Amino acid sequence: MWAVAFAGGGTRITVRTYGRSHRGLRRPNNEDAYLIRPLADDGVLVAVADGVGGGPAGQEASRLALETLDGAVAGKVTDIALLASAVSLANRRIYESSQRDDALAGMGTTLTSAVIFPHRLLVAHVGDSRAYQLGEEQLVRLTVDHSLAGEMEALGELSAEEAQNHPNRHVLTRVVGPFDHVRIDVTDLPWTARDRLLLCTDGLTAVLSDHDIWESSRRFSGWDLVDSLIALALERGGPDNITVVLAESVPEQGDSHGR
Amino acid sequence: MVGNVLGNRYEVLERIGTGGMSLVYRARDITLNRLVAVKILKHQWAEDPEVVRRFEQEARAAASLVDRHIVQVYDVGRDEPDIHYMVMELVAGETLRAKIDREAPLPVRTALEIADQVAQGLEVAHARRLVHRDIKPQNVLLGPNGEVKVTDFGIAYAATTGTLVNTGSLLGTVQYLSPEQARGKLIGPQSDIYSLGVVLFEMLTGRLPFEGDTPIGVAIKHLQDEPPRIDKLRPDVPASVANIVERALSKDPAERYQSAHAMRLDIERVLHPEPEPEAKPALGTQEPVEEVPHRQRVAQSKRAAKPRSQWPGILVGAVLGLGVLGMGAYAFHRWLNPPIVTVPNVIGKPIQDARVMLKKHGLAAMVAGRASSQRILPNRVVKENPAPGTRLKSGETVSLVLSSGPTTLALPGVTQESYYLAKQSLEALGLRVHMRAVASGQPGGTVVRQLPAAGRVVAEGSVVTLWVSNGASASQLVMPNLIGLTMPQAARLLQHTHVTLASPISEYSTEPPNTVIDQNPAPYSSLDGVTTVSVTLSHGPSPVSASLPVNHSKVRWIIPKSAPPKSLFKVVVTDPAGNEEIFYQQVNPGEHVIYHVVWYGTQAQMVVSLNGRLLPAESLKSTVSPSPSPSPSPSPSSTPSGAPSSSPSPSTTPSSGQSG
């Protein structure tokens, strides 16, 4: 767990981050990975990646994506363009590795990354991992799944339920790595200390609805929230690797450690 | 993988393709001594039990499909370490994708014939409740004799459905995806028909019905947009054909053809329409006369009643579209004239009988003309107008077309039949049959090829040549490896095949003189359809290289620190013997590049560039005194040509071992 303190609006606010990745119950290995990196300028970079391409290739892709992202950001992100270019660099790095090694040909990964500043959130996203804003009143999905079902849902062609039950819901339309260019969705939005940020891979959302996540997030926080979400996904079969990263802002005073 | 023997039986020869989750190799089945294709699950998937389970399950399902329009799956197996493979029929030829890319738009007839055969394959699969789900030109193989085969049954299923939980594969092409597949609804045989409709559209126009920048844009168009009419894009496509595509591309599966068989019927009606008795079909080559189902005759007779002069010279295929119009006219007609009698079916009856039958129904008969017919004997009715089943007022006249016999006739297809039956049926049509024995994959006695092809119109008494399998199969016989042999040795090896040696050509080579250094077709390729093999013999070393010293130079460069990472470094060495060696490498700043050059003569020219920018020219100078070259190793990497082509040009840096 990382805790980053920043001075915001007079009171000191601490962002605490929690991340866990579980192999799940049905997959032979874990192709997911996550990254939590405190930044120099009062921010924290978080990301999840879900490798595509089977076994070692998937693992290599997600690992390489996060490693590149981390290196490119180099402890400092000032704006969304920088975050996006880091994702773009990750794409290039994976693409080139896959060109060199036959066993890695076609590998790719989802990559959902975010930088939390005291009053601002940056998100760069490719694939079907998700970022949620857990507000006080509601849960907001900040990303569109780059799958056939997800994009059709975003365009209003499918209902959320139809998309959830789509047989091709895991077939991706965009991932980082297989081609020399990738289109990246970016968001730059205001943020408050009351908002919590949840990043997760589709191992969670394949079996949990937005409503399930919202219910859990009202009851739990910190490690409890992360673990309860993973436990629920496992209870429902744990068909895929499950990765959850949570970032919460808490006031400096009082007991703020994850329980 | 190449060189491995899987399951003690399949010797992997070379890679011939790559799929999303698998690699495809050409291989030799040692037990049956025939060439096969082996599809191997990529090893990154091999440790995923879910993927493996589906791979094997679907391979078994596909193996149950036996049809000449489906690539046969022979075997499924696994081998250490974690190699999962599927053995399939090897189809020599190309994919429809390649043909479309090269030739589209295809001739209407060609496109329909391909679609017809794909539909036949689908029909067989659908009967086994197997939906392909990924019909696209990449999955349609075109064999050397124009035979069309669908491949990857079931594999698509494993790769794209949610049952393969969460492997998160990347979306392939959505260009052929049916609306219900895009929506994630239940899919069925009609989904394959939609995809086949898209393929047919593409064959006919060279473009896709829906295009867009992103997969999702295309998928949405499949849901929402009407496809363009083919006959608008390509005016020489008959409306009947455009109608077939339009129906196959209906958004609602219920509005499409309900079976591949139904689609085939429409396609075949266009391919083999019944000719008009009054006028010969306007297509360049005459169309075969075919009996057509009853309903179609109604349509055609109405067509005859309504001459459509705006379709001159167009494929007789226009029948179907006009048929639809005809139906309307028919309904209108009936509304005006309450029917009294039904026209009886007199097709095939002798004219006398036909007259009697019509008379019984209160109708008069009139002979309107004659037409040749393959199946109907002379002086019997080939066609009646109005068609059987039409309701007419009593007393009206039915015009009849009589058969003039098969003076010209359309050749029936006899491939896959036994030679005995094929010969009988051809001779019954007044044709003469020549037989040629050939080694092929078919059981002995099977006709594997015919010339002229099925559907060709020939005159009575023509010769039809049939290639008949002699039982030894061509796919069992592979081209022997002749390389390294002398001509007599090669001839001996070829004795037990039907392949003969063409007169050889010679080339300079460092291989022993008068031995084979190259052959075409290549070793181990299929002997199917091959009658001669041409070989290249070694003529011994080139006189030039023999008289020039052989040099081995080690050249080194250090890439400047200022160079960008991953720069492209290129070296071209040209020696007086005309050898040119090109060397590429991706390099990083500061990297040491070492290159070993073999060259002939006293001086060679070396041109070096980094990212396309030339570095100072250098030449290599011999340190060996000129003498005949018994160069032991390594052998030169390219074949020396006959004469020196360039003299060394002046150079500034006269040594090898440069850094650049």
Short mmCIF file of all heavy atoms in Angstrom, two decimals, chain A residues 107-154:
data_model
loop_
_atom_site.label_atom_id
_atom_site.label_comp_id
_atom_site.label_asym_id
_atom_site.label_seq_id
_atom_site.Cartn_x
_atom_site.Cartn_y
_atom_site.Cartn_z
N MET A 107 1.12 -10.41 -29.33
CA MET A 107 0.76 -10.17 -27.93
C MET A 107 0.25 -8.74 -27.74
O MET A 107 0.57 -7.84 -28.50
CB MET A 107 1.96 -10.43 -27.01
CG MET A 107 3.06 -9.40 -27.12
SD MET A 107 4.28 -9.67 -25.80
CE MET A 107 5.61 -8.61 -26.35
N GLY A 108 -0.54 -8.57 -26.71
CA GLY A 108 -1.09 -7.26 -26.42
C GLY A 108 -1.59 -7.24 -25.00
O GLY A 108 -1.52 -8.23 -24.28
N THR A 109 -2.08 -6.10 -24.61
CA THR A 109 -2.59 -5.98 -23.25
C THR A 109 -3.58 -4.83 -23.17
O THR A 109 -3.50 -3.88 -23.93
CB THR A 109 -1.43 -5.74 -22.25
OG1 THR A 109 -1.96 -5.64 -20.94
CG2 THR A 109 -0.65 -4.48 -22.58
N THR A 110 -4.50 -4.96 -22.27
CA THR A 110 -5.31 -3.80 -21.94
C THR A 110 -4.44 -2.92 -21.05
O THR A 110 -3.50 -3.39 -20.42
CB THR A 110 -6.57 -4.19 -21.15
OG1 THR A 110 -6.20 -4.53 -19.81
CG2 THR A 110 -7.29 -5.36 -21.80
N LEU A 111 -4.73 -1.65 -21.02
CA LEU A 111 -3.96 -0.77 -20.13
C LEU A 111 -4.87 0.38 -19.71
O LEU A 111 -5.25 1.21 -20.53
CB LEU A 111 -2.70 -0.26 -20.84
CG LEU A 111 -1.77 0.64 -20.03
CD1 LEU A 111 -1.34 -0.05 -18.74
CD2 LEU A 111 -0.54 1.00 -20.85
N THR A 112 -5.25 0.36 -18.46
CA THR A 112 -6.06 1.45 -17.93
C THR A 112 -5.21 2.13 -16.86
O THR A 112 -4.84 1.49 -15.87
CB THR A 112 -7.37 0.92 -17.34
OG1 THR A 112 -8.08 0.24 -18.37
CG2 THR A 112 -8.22 2.06 -16.80
N SER A 113 -4.87 3.40 -17.13
CA SER A 113 -3.95 4.08 -16.22
C SER A 113 -4.58 5.39 -15.78
O SER A 113 -5.36 5.99 -16.51
CB SER A 113 -2.62 4.34 -16.93
OG SER A 113 -2.85 5.08 -18.10
N ALA A 114 -4.22 5.81 -14.59
CA ALA A 114 -4.79 7.05 -14.07
C ALA A 114 -3.75 7.74 -13.19
O ALA A 114 -2.92 7.08 -12.55
CB ALA A 114 -6.05 6.76 -13.27
N VAL A 115 -3.79 9.07 -13.19
CA VAL A 115 -2.98 9.85 -12.26
C VAL A 115 -3.94 10.68 -11.43
O VAL A 115 -4.79 11.40 -11.98
CB VAL A 115 -1.98 10.74 -13.00
CG1 VAL A 115 -1.20 11.58 -12.00
CG2 VAL A 115 -1.03 9.90 -13.84
N ILE A 116 -3.83 10.54 -10.12
CA ILE A 116 -4.69 11.32 -9.22
C ILE A 116 -3.89 12.47 -8.65
O ILE A 116 -2.84 12.26 -8.04
CB ILE A 116 -5.20 10.46 -8.06
CG1 ILE A 116 -5.80 9.17 -8.59
CG2 ILE A 116 -6.24 11.23 -7.24
CD1 ILE A 116 -6.14 8.21 -7.48
N PHE A 117 -4.39 13.68 -8.90
CA PHE A 117 -3.87 14.87 -8.26
C PHE A 117 -4.90 15.29 -7.22
O PHE A 117 -6.03 14.78 -7.21
CB PHE A 117 -3.67 16.00 -9.29
CG PHE A 117 -2.58 15.71 -10.27
CD1 PHE A 117 -2.86 15.55 -11.62
CD2 PHE A 117 -1.26 15.62 -9.85
CE1 PHE A 117 -1.85 15.30 -12.53
CE2 PHE A 117 -0.25 15.38 -10.76
CZ PHE A 117 -0.54 15.21 -12.10
N PRO A 118 -4.55 16.28 -6.37
CA PRO A 118 -5.51 16.68 -5.35
C PRO A 118 -6.89 17.04 -5.91
O PRO A 118 -7.91 16.67 -5.33
CB PRO A 118 -4.86 17.91 -4.73
CG PRO A 118 -3.40 17.67 -4.91
CD PRO A 118 -3.26 16.91 -6.19
N HIS A 119 -6.91 17.70 -7.06
CA HIS A 119 -8.22 18.16 -7.56
C HIS A 119 -8.49 17.72 -8.98
O HIS A 119 -9.35 18.28 -9.65
CB HIS A 119 -8.30 19.69 -7.46
CG HIS A 119 -8.12 20.16 -6.08
ND1 HIS A 119 -9.03 19.93 -5.07
CD2 HIS A 119 -7.08 20.81 -5.50
CE1 HIS A 119 -8.58 20.42 -3.95
NE2 HIS A 119 -7.39 20.96 -4.17
N ARG A 120 -7.74 16.74 -9.40
CA ARG A 120 -7.82 16.43 -10.82
C ARG A 120 -7.50 14.96 -11.03
O ARG A 120 -6.67 14.39 -10.31
CB ARG A 120 -6.78 17.30 -11.53
CG ARG A 120 -6.93 17.42 -12.98
CD ARG A 120 -5.96 18.50 -13.42
NE ARG A 120 -5.58 18.29 -14.78
CZ ARG A 120 -4.39 18.61 -15.27
NH1 ARG A 120 -3.46 19.13 -14.50
NH2 ARG A 120 -4.14 18.40 -16.53
N LEU A 121 -8.16 14.39 -12.00
CA LEU A 121 -7.87 12.98 -12.33
C LEU A 121 -7.61 12.88 -13.83
O LEU A 121 -8.36 13.42 -14.64
CB LEU A 121 -9.08 12.09 -11.98
CG LEU A 121 -8.90 10.62 -12.32
CD1 LEU A 121 -7.96 9.95 -11.33
CD2 LEU A 121 -10.24 9.90 -12.37
N LEU A 122 -6.53 12.20 -14.17
CA LEU A 122 -6.23 11.93 -15.58
C LEU A 122 -6.38 10.43 -15.82
O LEU A 122 -5.92 9.63 -15.02
CB LEU A 122 -4.78 12.31 -15.91
CG LEU A 122 -4.31 13.70 -15.50
CD1 LEU A 122 -2.82 13.86 -15.85
CD2 LEU A 122 -5.14 14.76 -16.23
N VAL A 123 -7.03 10.08 -16.92
CA VAL A 123 -7.18 8.66 -17.24
C VAL A 123 -6.78 8.44 -18.71
O VAL A 123 -7.21 9.20 -19.58
CB VAL A 123 -8.64 8.18 -17.04
CG1 VAL A 123 -8.76 6.69 -17.41
CG2 VAL A 123 -9.10 8.41 -15.62
N ALA A 124 -5.95 7.46 -18.93
CA ALA A 124 -5.66 7.03 -20.31
C ALA A 124 -6.00 5.54 -20.37
O ALA A 124 -5.59 4.78 -19.50
CB ALA A 124 -4.18 7.24 -20.64
N HIS A 125 -6.74 5.17 -21.42
CA HIS A 125 -7.35 3.84 -21.37
C HIS A 125 -7.41 3.17 -22.74
O HIS A 125 -7.80 3.81 -23.73
CB HIS A 125 -8.77 4.00 -20.78
CG HIS A 125 -9.68 2.84 -21.05
ND1 HIS A 125 -9.58 1.66 -20.38
CD2 HIS A 125 -10.71 2.70 -21.92
CE1 HIS A 125 -10.53 0.82 -20.83
NE2 HIS A 125 -11.22 1.44 -21.77
N VAL A 126 -7.03 1.90 -22.76
CA VAL A 126 -7.19 1.06 -23.95
C VAL A 126 -7.59 -0.33 -23.48
O VAL A 126 -6.95 -0.89 -22.58
CB VAL A 126 -5.87 0.94 -24.75
CG1 VAL A 126 -6.07 0.06 -25.98
CG2 VAL A 126 -5.36 2.31 -25.17
N GLY A 127 -8.65 -0.87 -24.05
CA GLY A 127 -9.02 -2.25 -23.71
C GLY A 127 -10.27 -2.34 -22.86
O GLY A 127 -11.05 -1.39 -22.77
N ASP A 128 -10.45 -3.48 -22.22
CA ASP A 128 -11.69 -3.68 -21.49
C ASP A 128 -11.50 -3.78 -19.98
O ASP A 128 -12.37 -4.27 -19.28
CB ASP A 128 -12.47 -4.88 -22.03
CG ASP A 128 -11.79 -6.21 -21.71
OD1 ASP A 128 -10.61 -6.19 -21.29
OD2 ASP A 128 -12.44 -7.25 -21.87
N SER A 129 -10.36 -3.31 -19.49
CA SER A 129 -10.28 -3.08 -18.05
C SER A 129 -11.06 -1.79 -17.80
O SER A 129 -11.39 -1.07 -18.73
CB SER A 129 -8.83 -2.93 -17.60
OG SER A 129 -8.13 -4.12 -17.90
N ARG A 130 -11.37 -1.50 -16.54
CA ARG A 130 -12.23 -0.34 -16.30
C ARG A 130 -11.69 0.56 -15.20
O ARG A 130 -10.97 0.11 -14.31
CB ARG A 130 -13.63 -0.79 -15.88
CG ARG A 130 -14.42 -1.39 -17.01
CD ARG A 130 -15.82 -1.74 -16.56
NE ARG A 130 -16.50 -2.51 -17.59
CZ ARG A 130 -17.66 -3.14 -17.40
NH1 ARG A 130 -18.26 -3.08 -16.21
NH2 ARG A 130 -18.21 -3.80 -18.38
N ALA A 131 -12.09 1.82 -15.28
CA ALA A 131 -11.88 2.76 -14.19
C ALA A 131 -13.26 3.22 -13.71
O ALA A 131 -14.12 3.57 -14.52
CB ALA A 131 -11.06 3.95 -14.66
N TYR A 132 -13.48 3.15 -12.40
CA TYR A 132 -14.73 3.64 -11.81
C TYR A 132 -14.42 4.77 -10.86
O TYR A 132 -13.46 4.73 -10.11
CB TYR A 132 -15.40 2.54 -10.98
CG TYR A 132 -16.03 1.41 -11.76
CD1 TYR A 132 -15.37 0.20 -11.92
CD2 TYR A 132 -17.31 1.55 -12.29
CE1 TYR A 132 -15.96 -0.85 -12.59
CE2 TYR A 132 -17.91 0.49 -12.97
CZ TYR A 132 -17.23 -0.70 -13.12
OH TYR A 132 -17.82 -1.75 -13.78
N GLN A 133 -15.30 5.76 -10.89
CA GLN A 133 -15.26 6.79 -9.87
C GLN A 133 -16.33 6.40 -8.84
O GLN A 133 -17.51 6.31 -9.17
CB GLN A 133 -15.61 8.15 -10.51
CG GLN A 133 -15.71 9.29 -9.52
CD GLN A 133 -16.11 10.59 -10.23
OE1 GLN A 133 -16.52 10.57 -11.40
NE2 GLN A 133 -15.97 11.69 -9.54
N LEU A 134 -15.88 6.13 -7.62
CA LEU A 134 -16.83 5.79 -6.56
C LEU A 134 -17.12 7.07 -5.80
O LEU A 134 -16.38 7.46 -4.90
CB LEU A 134 -16.25 4.72 -5.63
CG LEU A 134 -15.68 3.46 -6.31
CD1 LEU A 134 -15.03 2.54 -5.28
CD2 LEU A 134 -16.77 2.71 -7.06
N GLY A 135 -18.16 7.79 -6.23
CA GLY A 135 -18.51 9.05 -5.59
C GLY A 135 -19.35 8.78 -4.35
O GLY A 135 -19.66 7.64 -4.02
N GLU A 136 -19.72 9.86 -3.69
CA GLU A 136 -20.54 9.66 -2.47
C GLU A 136 -21.95 9.20 -2.84
O GLU A 136 -22.55 8.42 -2.12
CB GLU A 136 -20.60 10.96 -1.68
CG GLU A 136 -19.32 11.24 -0.96
CD GLU A 136 -19.46 12.39 0.02
OE1 GLU A 136 -19.92 13.46 -0.43
OE2 GLU A 136 -19.14 12.21 1.19
N GLU A 137 -22.44 9.71 -3.96
CA GLU A 137 -23.82 9.41 -4.32
C GLU A 137 -23.95 8.33 -5.39
O GLU A 137 -25.01 7.75 -5.57
CB GLU A 137 -24.50 10.69 -4.86
CG GLU A 137 -24.47 11.86 -3.90
CD GLU A 137 -25.22 11.52 -2.62
OE1 GLU A 137 -26.22 10.77 -2.70
OE2 GLU A 137 -24.80 11.98 -1.54
N GLN A 138 -22.90 8.17 -6.13
CA GLN A 138 -23.05 7.25 -7.26
C GLN A 138 -21.73 6.68 -7.71
O GLN A 138 -20.67 7.14 -7.32
CB GLN A 138 -23.71 8.00 -8.43
CG GLN A 138 -22.87 9.17 -8.87
CD GLN A 138 -23.48 9.90 -10.05
OE1 GLN A 138 -24.36 9.40 -10.71
NE2 GLN A 138 -22.99 11.09 -10.31
N LEU A 139 -21.89 5.68 -8.54
CA LEU A 139 -20.72 5.07 -9.17
C LEU A 139 -20.74 5.51 -10.63
O LEU A 139 -21.76 5.47 -11.30
CB LEU A 139 -20.84 3.55 -9.04
CG LEU A 139 -19.96 2.65 -9.90
CD1 LEU A 139 -19.62 1.39 -9.10
CD2 LEU A 139 -20.71 2.25 -11.15
N VAL A 140 -19.59 5.96 -11.12
CA VAL A 140 -19.51 6.40 -12.51
C VAL A 140 -18.44 5.58 -13.22
O VAL A 140 -17.31 5.49 -12.74
CB VAL A 140 -19.13 7.90 -12.61
CG1 VAL A 140 -19.09 8.33 -14.07
CG2 VAL A 140 -20.10 8.74 -11.82
N ARG A 141 -18.84 4.99 -14.32
CA ARG A 141 -17.83 4.27 -15.11
C ARG A 141 -17.10 5.30 -15.96
O ARG A 141 -17.72 6.03 -16.72
CB ARG A 141 -18.54 3.26 -16.01
CG ARG A 141 -17.76 1.97 -16.17
CD ARG A 141 -18.28 1.14 -17.28
NE ARG A 141 -19.43 0.30 -16.93
CZ ARG A 141 -20.05 -0.47 -17.82
NH1 ARG A 141 -19.65 -0.50 -19.08
NH2 ARG A 141 -21.08 -1.20 -17.47
N LEU A 142 -15.80 5.39 -15.81
CA LEU A 142 -15.03 6.43 -16.51
C LEU A 142 -14.51 5.96 -17.86
O LEU A 142 -14.00 6.76 -18.64
CB LEU A 142 -13.83 6.86 -15.64
CG LEU A 142 -14.18 7.47 -14.28
CD1 LEU A 142 -12.90 7.70 -13.48
CD2 LEU A 142 -14.95 8.77 -14.44
N THR A 143 -14.62 4.68 -18.12
CA THR A 143 -14.04 4.15 -19.36
C THR A 143 -15.08 3.36 -20.15
O THR A 143 -16.05 2.87 -19.59
CB THR A 143 -12.87 3.20 -19.03
OG1 THR A 143 -13.32 2.25 -18.07
CG2 THR A 143 -11.67 3.95 -18.49
N VAL A 144 -14.83 3.27 -21.41
CA VAL A 144 -15.65 2.44 -22.30
C VAL A 144 -14.87 1.14 -22.55
O VAL A 144 -13.67 1.20 -22.80
CB VAL A 144 -15.89 3.17 -23.64
CG1 VAL A 144 -16.48 2.22 -24.67
CG2 VAL A 144 -16.78 4.37 -23.43
N ASP A 145 -15.53 0.02 -22.45
CA ASP A 145 -14.85 -1.24 -22.79
C ASP A 145 -14.58 -1.27 -24.29
O ASP A 145 -15.51 -1.14 -25.08
CB ASP A 145 -15.74 -2.46 -22.46
CG ASP A 145 -15.93 -2.63 -20.96
OD1 ASP A 145 -15.26 -1.90 -20.19
OD2 ASP A 145 -16.75 -3.49 -20.59
N HIS A 146 -13.34 -1.49 -24.64
CA HIS A 146 -13.03 -1.59 -26.07
C HIS A 146 -13.22 -3.02 -26.55
O HIS A 146 -12.29 -3.69 -26.99
CB HIS A 146 -11.61 -1.09 -26.34
CG HIS A 146 -11.47 0.36 -26.07
ND1 HIS A 146 -10.34 0.93 -25.55
CD2 HIS A 146 -12.36 1.38 -26.22
CE1 HIS A 146 -10.53 2.23 -25.41
NE2 HIS A 146 -11.75 2.53 -25.82
N SER A 147 -14.45 -3.45 -26.39
CA SER A 147 -14.85 -4.74 -26.94
C SER A 147 -16.04 -4.44 -27.84
O SER A 147 -16.64 -3.37 -27.75
CB SER A 147 -15.25 -5.71 -25.84
OG SER A 147 -16.41 -5.24 -25.19
N LEU A 148 -16.37 -5.41 -28.67
CA LEU A 148 -17.50 -5.22 -29.56
C LEU A 148 -18.74 -4.87 -28.74
O LEU A 148 -19.44 -3.89 -29.02
CB LEU A 148 -17.72 -6.51 -30.33
CG LEU A 148 -18.67 -6.44 -31.50
CD1 LEU A 148 -18.22 -5.35 -32.47
CD2 LEU A 148 -18.70 -7.77 -32.22
N ALA A 149 -18.98 -5.66 -27.67
CA ALA A 149 -20.16 -5.43 -26.86
C ALA A 149 -20.08 -4.08 -26.15
O ALA A 149 -21.05 -3.32 -26.10
CB ALA A 149 -20.31 -6.56 -25.84
N GLY A 150 -18.89 -3.78 -25.61
CA GLY A 150 -18.73 -2.55 -24.83
C GLY A 150 -18.95 -1.31 -25.67
O GLY A 150 -19.63 -0.37 -25.27
N GLU A 151 -18.38 -1.32 -26.86
CA GLU A 151 -18.51 -0.14 -27.69
C GLU A 151 -19.94 0.02 -28.22
O GLU A 151 -20.44 1.13 -28.37
CB GLU A 151 -17.51 -0.19 -28.86
CG GLU A 151 -16.07 -0.11 -28.36
CD GLU A 151 -15.09 0.39 -29.40
OE1 GLU A 151 -15.41 1.36 -30.11
OE2 GLU A 151 -14.00 -0.19 -29.50
N MET A 152 -20.58 -1.13 -28.45
CA MET A 152 -21.97 -1.03 -28.89
C MET A 152 -22.86 -0.55 -27.75
O MET A 152 -23.81 0.17 -27.98
CB MET A 152 -22.43 -2.37 -29.45
CG MET A 152 -21.84 -2.57 -30.84
SD MET A 152 -22.26 -4.05 -31.74
CE MET A 152 -23.72 -4.56 -31.05
N GLU A 153 -22.51 -0.94 -26.56
CA GLU A 153 -23.25 -0.45 -25.40
C GLU A 153 -23.07 1.07 -25.28
O GLU A 153 -24.03 1.81 -25.08
CB GLU A 153 -22.75 -1.15 -24.13
CG GLU A 153 -23.50 -0.74 -22.88
CD GLU A 153 -22.85 -1.29 -21.60
OE1 GLU A 153 -21.89 -2.08 -21.70
OE2 GLU A 153 -23.30 -0.89 -20.51
N ALA A 154 -21.84 1.52 -25.47
CA ALA A 154 -21.57 2.95 -25.35
C ALA A 154 -22.32 3.74 -26.42
O ALA A 154 -22.70 4.88 -26.21
CB ALA A 154 -20.06 3.20 -25.47
#
